[in-house]
């Protein structure tokens, strides 16, 4: 389905290749991490990891605890690996849900136009006019027992509008092309035209935006965790670890630097990949 | 007059370097241009004509292109190829100015047109604001913009295409250039406006003694404007000489082919010669192009082109009602002798058709007025006929075509196909209608889904209407269709981007044919094609009509093409029908002034007209210099 010329352009782009490698790396960490982790991420090793004077074990100090201790004597490496799995799981699923909602809204809105379009777009305007943080806090207060599923739902609810708008714009552009008119003149049903002629021709921008969305989701999740709205302790995600590490920043900077590095690498990788895909799909821009 | 050449190009070689190898975009081209003369550089897409002009301007894309060692471009004694960049920049817009095809995109939409011209003047002359503005008004006057002191305050969107092109010309003239490069400046304009712009350019050139390098694909336009002509093809210069020489006695086979393949108004041909009758082109592995001529001469009465299906007109009674032909005995005289008359009921009947688009204003989106795109038109199409729908841009011809096949809802009136109201059809009747009536579009790049192979596109059309059984049978049918439109069965697995514009148009035709329609709407189907390709596609349409008994509604802005292909012609303007009748009769004795204007504005390229114009120019030039 991918245009062979686009693939060639993608291969020739060094940044995109670096991005793809980084993305592959963090995705593998997320999938394999829990199995590779040497300890249970919630098990406390107060005797070995917290010194008598109350300071924490630093990275590379102790064999068996490669990255030292977290703030309460848990194995930092294990938490980082488990946290990565959760962060990436949340990011990937939230992105998939965002794309699903965004594409359905964008395609119907752009293709049918008229009243369908007006209703969807006013709804989008409404959502966009509400402050993100307020929504998140309201959401948390309504659902007391928040699970990962709720977090994914919240992230998708906050992000699909942008994707819907981009998809709509692209669909409106494709809709007036003559091959869509020709399809109508051949007597095709709307479903068929949408699935076979419109969708395949708007996938480019959706894939590109979707890639950068994964990066945004990781940042979003970190931000929510940072505010205590993300995953519930004792579970770890990179975002919540960043939040915890921030309190002990002066004495044990590694608690903040390690998850921060992972987030930066992931976001950087996805952004590079997204840009590479954009150049490959749409060399004119 | 000075015989000193203004611009001299010697052995110009401009190459493009891509991953796929080196393309010789311009290959050893030499010509000269004197002050006060117009050189028409004519060629089809890919001929290298625009690359030649960009080489002169030194505006070629960097890194991927190069002007090779032997090349020389001298302008006023300076060698432009080796001129330092800053000197070249000073030259551009001072001694050399350029105008382009799309006046709409060349003007900045957020500034008033007067400001934009004045800015150019201030930039080059350091004039004060008031001086620049005064000069702008004078220039607007010179290029024939009415009420210039008010029009300088207009924004680009408030002006028509022709007026915008006049503004571009004013801007080009603002620094008194010695050389004006005009790259297809009239291609995007209606014929009547094209005529005005050509007249304007000829007048300005005489008054200012400018050299004009006029680039176009249209030999008809060349006949109207050029003193000398250079014919380019595949990067090579094939012929170069005075315009009357080229038209009277074209030496190269390609030029002869190019002249012959244009449908000309006064000719009564049934088929068109194509360039491939005259030349053979071979490209070897290294990209070297060899052009060999064929020994081909065409006489006016050559049976290959004069024989064929005659005209199929409406029944006599109806012709009389149309009032184009009062006297049936005159039909032979007007339409030639090979005339037939349709019988029975019309296949398609348009009656009082109106398509209005509401103009909405305010928060409540109340409808304050309507754009009357189609405003009460009626005509019939009989089975096996070709009906031409002709008019300038915005006349409503495309909207009419779309309303006829219900791609566009009507406001009022009826469209009947085989007696049934098209806009009332539902269910199986609608599906049957969708099979019987097909449309072929203008844009060969937009009319095919880029993600679908040719085979998949053809099979899909058959699948929807249950034609053929299973993949294998449909593939067989698709292969046959491709052969019918002049392509190869192995093209089935290829994707649209692998084809040229003309080939894509053939694929579009094959897709329409896949459902075995009775009526095909051709909406500007040949307008985006090179003339040589246009001739091939027109011949193909005629062949298919004879073989399959097709009925066409042929929509075009080009009256000469419509006259060539259509039995009956409908002339539209501002949503209304100006006149309709047999194509030959409408051309031979147009009833309405509008039609007359349309016909006389067509750049015809007849030899007598060229000679007349050249003689008139010589006289005018002599008067101007004395």
């Amino acid at each position: 389905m991918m245009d062979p010329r686009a693939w060639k352009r993608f291969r020739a782009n060094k940044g995109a290749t670096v991005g793809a490698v980084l993305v592959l790396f963090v995705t593998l960490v997320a999938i394999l991490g829990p199995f590779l982790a040497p300890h249970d991420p919630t098990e406390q090793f107060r005797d070995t990891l917290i010194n008598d004077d109350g300071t924490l074990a630093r990275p590379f100090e102790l064999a068996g605890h490669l990255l030292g201790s977290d703030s309460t004597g848990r194995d930092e490496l294990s938490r980082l690996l488990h946290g990565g799995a959760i962060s990436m799981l949340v990011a990937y699923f939230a992105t998939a849900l965002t794309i699903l909602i965004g594409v359905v809204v964008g395609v119907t809105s752009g293709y049918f136009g008229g009243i369908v379009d007006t209703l969807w777009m006013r709804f989008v305007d409404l959502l966009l006019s509400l402050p993100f943080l307020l929504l998140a806090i309201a959401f948390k207060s309504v659902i007391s027992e928040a699970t990962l599923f709720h977090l994914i739902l919240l992230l998708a609810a906050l992000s699909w509008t942008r994707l819907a708008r981009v998809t709509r714009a692209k669909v409106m552009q494709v809709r007036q092309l003559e091959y869509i008119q020709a399809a109508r003149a051949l007597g095709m049903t709307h479903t068929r035209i949408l699935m076979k002629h419109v969708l395949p021709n708007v996938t480019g921008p959706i894939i590109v935006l979707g890639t950068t969305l994964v990066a945004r989701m990781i940042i979003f999740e970190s931000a929510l965790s940072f505010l205590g709205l993300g995953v519930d302790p004792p579970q770890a995600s990179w975002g919540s670890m960043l939040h915890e590490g921030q309190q002990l920043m002066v004495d044990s900077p590694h608690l903040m630097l390690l998850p921060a590095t992972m987030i930066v690498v992931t976001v950087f990788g996805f952004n590079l990949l997204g840009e590479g895909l954009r150049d490959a799909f749409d060399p004119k821009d | 007059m000075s015989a000193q050449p203004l611009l001299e190009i010697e052995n110009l070689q401009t190459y493009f370097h891509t991953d796929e190898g080196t393309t010789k975009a311009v290959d050893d081209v030499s010509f000269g241009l004197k002050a006060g003369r117009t050189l028409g550089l004519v060629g089809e897409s890919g001929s290298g004509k625009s690359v030649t002009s960009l080489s002169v301007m030194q505006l070629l894309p960097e890194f991927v292109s190069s002007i090779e060692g032997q090349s020389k471009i001298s302008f006023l004694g300076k060698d432009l190829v080796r001129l330092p960049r800053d000197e070249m920049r000073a030259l551009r817009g001072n001694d050399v100015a350029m105008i382009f095809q799309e006046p709409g995109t060349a003007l900045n939409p957020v500034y008033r047109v007067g400001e934009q011209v004045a800015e150019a003047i201030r930039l080059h002359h350091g004039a004060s604001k008031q001086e620049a503005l005064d000069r702008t008004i004078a220039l607007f006057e010179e290029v024939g913009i009415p009420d210039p002191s008010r029009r300088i305050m207009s924004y680009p969107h408030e002006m028509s295409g022709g007026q915008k092109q006049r503004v571009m010309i004013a801007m080009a003239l603002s620094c008194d250039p010695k050389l004006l490069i005009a790259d297809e400046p009239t291609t995007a304009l209606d014929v009547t406006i094209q005529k005005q712009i050509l007249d304007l350019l000829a007048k300005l050139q005489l008054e200012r003694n400018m050299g004009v390098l006029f680039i176009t694909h249209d030999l008809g336009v060349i006949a109207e404007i050029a003193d000398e002509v250079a014919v380019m093809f595949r990067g090579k210069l094939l012929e170069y000489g005075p315009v009357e020489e080229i038209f009277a006695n074209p030496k190269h086979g390609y030029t002869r082919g190019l002249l012959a393949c244009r449908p000309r108004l006064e000719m009564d041909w049934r088929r068109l010669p194509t360039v491939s009758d005259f030349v053979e082109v071979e490209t070897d592995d290294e990209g070297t192009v060899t052009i060999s001529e064929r020994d081909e001469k065409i006489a006016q009465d050559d049976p290959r082109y004069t024989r064929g299906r005659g005209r199929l007109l409406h029944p006599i009674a109806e012709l009389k009602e149309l009032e184009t032909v009062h006297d049936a005995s005159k039909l032979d005289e007007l339409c030639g002798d090979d005339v037939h008359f349709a019988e029975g009921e019309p296949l398609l009947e348009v009656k009082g058709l109106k398509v209005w688009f509401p103009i909405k204003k305010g928060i409540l989106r109340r409808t304050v007025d309507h754009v009357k795109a189609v405003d009460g038109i009626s005509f019939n199409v009989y089975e096996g006929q070709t009906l031409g729908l002709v008019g300038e841009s915005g006349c409503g011809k495309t909207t009419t075509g779309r309303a006829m096949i219900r791609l566009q809802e009507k406001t009022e009136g009826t469209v009947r196909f085989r007696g049934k109201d098209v806009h009332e059809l539902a269910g199986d009747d609608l599906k049957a209608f969708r099979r019987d009536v097909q449309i072929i579009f203008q844009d060969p790049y937009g009319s095919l889904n880029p993600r679908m192979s040719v085979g998949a596109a053809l099979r899909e059309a058959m699948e929807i209407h249950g034609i053929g059984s299973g993949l294998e049978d449909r593939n067989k049918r698709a292969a046959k269709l491709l052969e019918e439109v002049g392509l190869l069965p192995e093209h089935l697995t290829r994707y649209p981007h692998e084809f040229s514009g003309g080939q894509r148009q053939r694929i579009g035709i094959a897709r329409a044919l896949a459902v075995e329609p009775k009526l095909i709407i051709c909406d500007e189907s040949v307008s985006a094609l090179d003339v040589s390709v246009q001739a091939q596609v027109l011949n193909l349409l005629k062949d298919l009509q004879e073989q399959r008994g097709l009925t066409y509604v042929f929509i075009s802005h080009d009256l000469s093409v419509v006259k060539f292909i259509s039995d009956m012609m409908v002339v539209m303007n501002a949503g209304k029908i100006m006149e309709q009748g047999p194509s030959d009769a409408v051309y031979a004795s147009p009833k309405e002034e509008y039609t007359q204007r349309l016909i006389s504005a067509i750049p015809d390229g007849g030899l007598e007209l060229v000679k007349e114009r050249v003689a008139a120019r010589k006289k005018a030039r002599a008067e101007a210099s004395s």
Side-chain angles (χ1 to χ4, degrees), chain A residues 162 207-217 270-271 274-275:
Chain A
R162 213 163 79 93
I207 292 175
V208 172
L209 196 62
T211 320
T212 47
L213 260 177
V214 179
R216 277 168 59 97
M217 291 299 178
F270 274 105
N271 279 338
E275 264 176 46

Side-chain angles (χ1 to χ4, degrees), chain B residues 390-500:
Chain B
V390 67
E392 296 184 289
S393 54
C395 75
K397 56 190 192 297
T398 292
T399 312
T400 305
R402 297 201 169 186
M404 272 180 340
I405 59 167
R406 209 173 147 184
L407 283 179
Q408 168 71 51
E409 291 304 315
K410 56 152 197 191
T411 309
E412 238 179 72
T414 52
V415 179
R416 287 177 190 282
F417 181 74
R418 295 203 160 134
K420 284 187 184 161
D421 189 335
V422 169
H423 288 262
E424 303 286 326
L425 294 175
D428 286 347
D429 285 347
L430 180 60
K431 200 162 182 196
F433 173 73
R434 289 277 179 235
R435 184 177 163 174
D436 283 340
V437 181
Q438 279 299 302
I439 183 163
I440 306 168
F441 294 97
Q442 167 173 12
D443 179 10
Y445 293 90
S447 56
L448 298 170
N449 184 343
R451 312 254 162 193
M452 237 184 200
S453 72
V454 173
L458 295 179
R459 281 197 308 270
E460 186 187 32
M462 293 185 236
E463 215 175 289
I464 288 164
H465 293 284
I467 295 167
S469 51
L471 184 72
E472 206 172 312
D473 182 41
R474 285 187 186 128
N475 261 337
K476 226 182 265 168
R477 283 164 184 264
K480 225 171 130 196
L481 280 170
L482 285 188
E483 282 180 334
E484 203 176 339
V485 299
L487 295 171
L488 300 170
E490 52 259 43
H491 288 155
L492 277 180
T493 50
R494 301 218 189 138
Y495 284 83
H497 72 258
E498 297 172 64
F499 295 93
S500 70

Side-chain angles (χ1 to χ4, degrees), chain B residues 223-262:
Chain B
E224 302 264 313
I225 189 112
D227 298 303
E228 276 101 37
V229 182
V231 182
M232 283 185 75
F233 180 61
R234 297 287 185 94
K236 288 186 175 16
L237 182 72
L238 297 187
E239 190 153 358
Y240 171 48
V243 62
E244 64 271 31
E245 263 298 303
I246 301 267
F247 276 82
N249 188 17
K251 284 191 190 63
H252 199 282
Y254 176 73
T255 318
R256 287 202 298 276
L258 215 51
L259 280 166
C261 72
R262 292 178 63 242

Side-chain angles (χ1 to χ4, degrees), chain B residues 269-273 277 296 298 302-307:
Chain B
W269 280 358
R270 303 280 156 76
R271 287 177 61 83
L272 293 168
D277 294 341
E296 173 75 33
I298 291 182
D302 194 317
R304 278 174 302 171
Y305 306 111
T306 52
R307 219 178 279 154

Side-chain angles (χ1 to χ4, degrees), chain B residues 270-281:
Chain B
R270 303 280 156 76
R271 287 177 61 83
L272 293 168
T274 57
V275 166
S276 50
D277 294 341
F278 295 84
V279 284
E280 203 169 354
V281 185

Side-chain angles (χ1 to χ4, degrees), chain B residues 1 6 33-38 178 205-206 208-212 227 617 621:
Chain B
M1 297 304 289
L6 185 66
L33 170 62
K34 290 178 191 140
R37 297 295 184 122
T38 298
K178 298 187 176 67
Q205 175 190 46
L206 201 64
R208 291 168 167 261
N209 199 29
M210 261 188 319
V212 176
D227 298 303
R617 291 260 315 161
R621 213 174 270 137

Side-chain angles (χ1 to χ4, degrees), chain A residues 1-5 8 177-179 181-182 184-188 192 196-197 200-201 203 281, chain B residues 20 402 407 434 438-439 441-443 446-452 460 463-465 497 511 515:
Chain A
M1 183 144 107
M2 191 164 162
D3 185 342
R5 288 173 301 176
K8 202 173 156 195
L177 288 177
E178 288 175 344
Y179 61 82
Q181 304 276 337
R184 285 181 62 200
L186 276 167
M188 287 183 210
R192 188 183 184 115
K196 291 201 75 175
H197 295 272
N201 286 293
T203 44
F281 276 114
Chain B
E20 277 93 46
R402 297 201 169 186
L407 283 179
R434 289 277 179 235
Q438 279 299 302
I439 183 163
F441 294 97
Q442 167 173 12
D443 179 10
S447 56
L448 298 170
N449 184 343
R451 312 254 162 193
M452 237 184 200
E460 186 187 32
E463 215 175 289
I464 288 164
H465 293 284
H497 72 258
R511 181 181 54 195
V515 295

Side-chain angles (χ1 to χ4, degrees), chain B residues 353-357 371-374 399 403 408-411:
Chain B
L353 180 70
K354 285 186 188 174
V355 183
W356 290 7
F357 297 105
V371 176
K372 297 173 181 174
V374 179
T399 312
Q408 168 71 51
E409 291 304 315
K410 56 152 197 191
T411 309

